Amino acid sequence: MSFNFKPIGVIRTPYIDRGPFQPVESEEGEFKIILDPKYKEGLKELEHFNYIYVIFCLHRAGSSESLSAFPPWCGGKSVGVFASRSPFRPNPIGLSIVRIKKIVDNIIHTTCIDALDETPLLDIKPYIKTVDCKNKANNGWFEKYGGEGPLKKYLSSEK
């Protein structure tokens, strides 16, 4: 079984060849989601949410058959690809949670999205605090392989 997806817009970022590993909210730059005008009506009432899930195609990473990943903060150790946020995956799909700054016409201005410029947009969903915030979440293997060192920039931006 296979699936075909068509982009519903494009993500514009300052990242041409390399982006951050996570969408760090305090990152400087212009970040926009430009929705194809035919989908503009789908943005109705979205401005009432602070955050959204952005689902996109990692079109320049391509797919990978490898089930191992080597996160840069693991000191050369491998983890399973599904225990990582590597862009090299069996299905090249990216997911970020970003804050909405404003919506003008068919353009959503956001905080940092960890996607390369002109990344194809697949979907947008609202982040709903009471449903999506999991109080028992942890940092998984981050504690085992180097503490929260790589997360410090990300964690400090969320305050």
Side-chain angles (χ1 to χ4, degrees), residues 46 49 51-55 95-98 100 121 123-128 132:
L46 186 64
F49 293 92
Y51 290 88
I52 54 175
Y53 289 101
V54 181
I55 303 162
L95 170 70
S96 294
I97 299 171
V98 299
I100 298 172
L121 174 69
D123 204 354
I124 300 165
K125 296 180 185 248
Y127 180 96
I128 303 170
D132 296 328

Coordinates of all heavy atoms in Angstrom, one line a residue, residues 46 49 51-55 95-98 100 121 123-128 132:
L46 N -8.4 29.8 13.1 CA -7.1 29.4 13.5 C -6.4 30.4 14.4 O -5.6 30.1 15.3 CB -6.2 29.0 12.3 CG -4.9 28.3 12.7 CD1 -5.1 27.0 13.4 CD2 -4.0 28.1 11.4
F49 N -5.8 30.1 18.3 CA -4.9 29.2 18.9 C -3.5 29.9 19.0 O -3.2 30.7 18.1 CB -4.7 27.9 18.1 CG -6.0 27.1 18.1 CD1 -7.0 27.2 17.2 CD2 -6.2 26.2 19.2 CE1 -8.1 26.5 17.2 CE2 -7.3 25.4 19.2 CZ -8.3 25.5 18.2
Y51 N -0.6 28.0 19.3 CA 0.4 27.1 18.6 C -0.3 26.2 17.6 O -1.5 25.9 17.8 CB 1.1 26.3 19.7 CG 2.0 27.0 20.6 CD1 1.6 27.7 21.7 CD2 3.4 27.2 20.2 CE1 2.5 28.4 22.5 CE2 4.3 27.9 21.0 CZ 3.8 28.5 22.2 OH 4.7 29.2 23.0
I52 N 0.5 25.8 16.7 CA 0.0 24.8 15.7 C 1.0 23.7 15.4 O 2.2 23.9 15.7 CB -0.3 25.5 14.3 CG1 0.9 26.3 13.8 CG2 -1.6 26.3 14.4 CD1 0.7 26.9 12.4
Y53 N 0.5 22.6 15.0 CA 1.4 21.5 14.5 C 1.5 21.8 13.0 O 0.6 22.1 12.3 CB 0.7 20.1 14.6 CG 0.6 19.6 16.0 CD1 -0.6 19.6 16.7 CD2 1.7 19.0 16.6 CE1 -0.7 19.1 18.0 CE2 1.6 18.4 17.9 CZ 0.5 18.5 18.5 OH 0.4 18.0 19.8
V54 N 2.8 21.8 12.5 CA 3.0 21.9 11.1 C 3.6 20.6 10.6 O 4.6 20.1 11.1 CB 4.1 23.1 10.9 CG1 4.3 23.3 9.4 CG2 3.6 24.4 11.5
I55 N 2.9 20.0 9.6 CA 3.3 18.7 9.1 C 3.8 19.0 7.7 O 3.1 19.6 6.9 CB 2.2 17.7 9.1 CG1 1.7 17.6 10.5 CG2 2.6 16.4 8.5 CD1 0.3 17.0 10.7
L95 N 7.5 17.2 11.5 CA 6.5 17.7 12.4 C 7.1 18.7 13.3 O 8.1 18.4 14.0 CB 5.9 16.5 13.2 CG 4.9 16.9 14.3 CD1 3.6 17.5 13.8 CD2 4.6 15.7 15.2
S96 N 6.5 19.9 13.4 CA 7.0 20.9 14.3 C 5.8 21.6 15.0 O 4.7 21.6 14.4 CB 7.8 22.0 13.6 OG 8.9 21.5 13.1
I97 N 6.0 22.0 16.2 CA 5.0 22.8 17.0 C 5.6 24.2 17.0 O 6.7 24.4 17.5 CB 4.8 22.3 18.4 CG1 4.2 20.9 18.3 CG2 3.8 23.2 19.1 CD1 4.2 20.2 19.7
V98 N 4.8 25.2 16.4 CA 5.3 26.6 16.4 C 4.2 27.5 16.9 O 3.0 27.2 16.8 CB 5.8 27.0 15.0 CG1 6.9 26.1 14.5 CG2 4.6 26.9 14.0
I100 N 2.0 30.8 16.6 CA 1.4 31.8 15.6 C 1.7 33.2 16.0 O 1.3 33.6 17.1 CB -0.1 31.6 15.4 CG1 -0.4 30.2 14.9 CG2 -0.7 32.6 14.5 CD1 -1.9 29.8 14.9
L121 N 4.4 22.0 2.4 CA 3.5 21.9 3.5 C 2.5 20.8 3.2 O 1.9 20.8 2.2 CB 2.8 23.2 3.8 CG 1.8 23.3 4.8 CD1 2.4 23.1 6.2 CD2 1.0 24.6 4.7
D123 N 0.2 19.7 6.0 CA -1.0 19.9 6.9 C -0.7 20.8 8.0 O 0.5 21.0 8.4 CB -1.6 18.6 7.4 CG -3.0 18.6 7.7 OD1 -3.7 19.7 7.7 OD2 -3.6 17.5 8.1
I124 N -1.7 21.4 8.6 CA -1.7 22.2 9.8 C -2.8 21.7 10.7 O -3.9 21.5 10.3 CB -1.9 23.7 9.5 CG1 -0.9 24.2 8.5 CG2 -1.9 24.5 10.7 CD1 -1.3 25.5 7.8
K125 N -2.4 21.6 12.0 CA -3.5 21.2 13.0 C -3.2 22.1 14.2 O -2.1 22.4 14.6 CB -3.3 19.8 13.4 CG -3.6 18.8 12.2 CD -3.5 17.4 12.6 CE -3.7 16.5 11.4 NZ -4.8 15.7 11.4
P126 N -4.3 22.5 14.9 CA -4.2 23.3 16.1 C -3.6 22.5 17.3 O -3.9 21.3 17.4 CB -5.6 23.8 16.4 CG -6.4 22.7 15.9 CD -5.7 22.2 14.7
Y127 N -2.7 23.1 18.1 CA -2.2 22.6 19.3 C -3.2 23.0 20.4 O -3.4 24.2 20.6 CB -0.8 23.1 19.6 CG -0.2 22.5 20.9 CD1 0.7 21.5 20.8 CD2 -0.5 23.1 22.1 CE1 1.2 21.0 22.0 CE2 0.1 22.6 23.3 CZ 0.9 21.5 23.2 OH 1.5 21.0 24.3
I128 N -3.8 22.0 21.0 CA -4.8 22.2 22.1 C -4.2 21.8 23.4 O -3.9 20.7 23.7 CB -6.1 21.4 21.7 CG1 -6.6 21.8 20.4 CG2 -7.1 21.7 22.8 CD1 -7.7 21.0 19.8
D132 N -3.1 18.1 24.1 CA -1.8 17.8 23.6 C -0.7 17.9 24.7 O 0.4 17.4 24.5 CB -1.5 18.8 22.5 CG -2.4 18.5 21.3 OD1 -2.8 17.4 21.1 OD2 -2.7 19.5 20.6

